Amino acid sequence: MNQPTLFDLEAFTKFSPVYDPSWDKIETAPQQGDSVGGQIRESESPYKSVGEQVASDTQKSAPQHDTHWVEKYWVERSGNKYWYFRYCWMTGRKINRLYLGSVNSIIAKRKKADVEIAIADGRLPIEIENLIRGLTE
């Protein structure tokens, strides 16, 4: 059996080089003066508006960056799930939550609708918190 060892250099040097025409394109590009360090001119770039696309797409598809929202959550008691609404808002990196009520409650549904309208109107979380506390008292 002819198995090469670690120090058997002849086994690793017996190969014939393979010609690849793509290397000719790479070697001639720097010689033509079209690019510096493999870069291309901005006018030749196929990605002319990527920065603009990223900004607009990120804003459309990143709702996790909202500072306040209404969520539906559940609590399990005695093997049963009970569903509730709550208002959530961020203070720094902390998520604050304020109970709105059961999803079966007409009052909780009205509170949820009022909070969603306040969010859509651009009201601040402290204003919405005061609104909810005023509704619950």
Side-chain angles (χ1 to χ4, degrees), residues 16-29:
S16 59
V18 178
Y19 174 73
D20 187 0
S22 64
W23 284 102
D24 291 339
K25 295 176 188 175
I26 293 172
E27 290 176 3
T28 57

Side-chain angles (χ1 to χ4, degrees), residues 28-132:
T28 57
Q31 293 172 359
Q32 293 174 354
D34 289 341
S35 62
V36 176
Q39 299 174 353
I40 59 174
R41 292 181 184 151
E42 190 175 332
S43 60
E44 297 172 356
S45 173
Y47 310 108
K48 292 179 181 159
S49 62
V50 170
E52 295 168 14
Q53 292 172 353
V54 170
S56 62
D57 289 348
T58 302
Q59 290 171 355
K60 291 178 189 172
S61 64
Q64 70 270 19
H65 295 296
D66 292 344
T67 57
H68 52 151
W69 62 95
V70 175
E71 71 181 11
K72 183 179 173 183
Y73 70 101
W74 58 270
V75 175
E76 186 171 351
R77 291 190 198 104
S78 304
N80 296 323
K81 283 187 180 180
Y82 297 94
W83 290 89
Y84 301 97
F85 293 120
R86 64 183 169 197
Y87 170 64
C88 304
W89 71 98
M90 299 286 293
T91 306
R93 292 175 55 179
K94 182 182 186 306
I95 299 177
N96 301 287
R97 297 174 179 93
L98 192 58
Y99 173 80
L100 296 177
S102 171
V103 295
N104 300 324
S105 167
I106 294 172
I107 296 170
K109 290 177 184 176
R110 288 180 184 160
K111 287 180 190 178
K112 177 183 178 275
D114 290 341
V115 170
E116 288 174 338
I117 290 169
I119 291 171
D121 287 344
R123 301 197 54 196
L124 296 173
I126 190 71
E127 295 173 326
I128 297 173
E129 181 184 3
N130 292 335
L131 174 72
I132 294 168

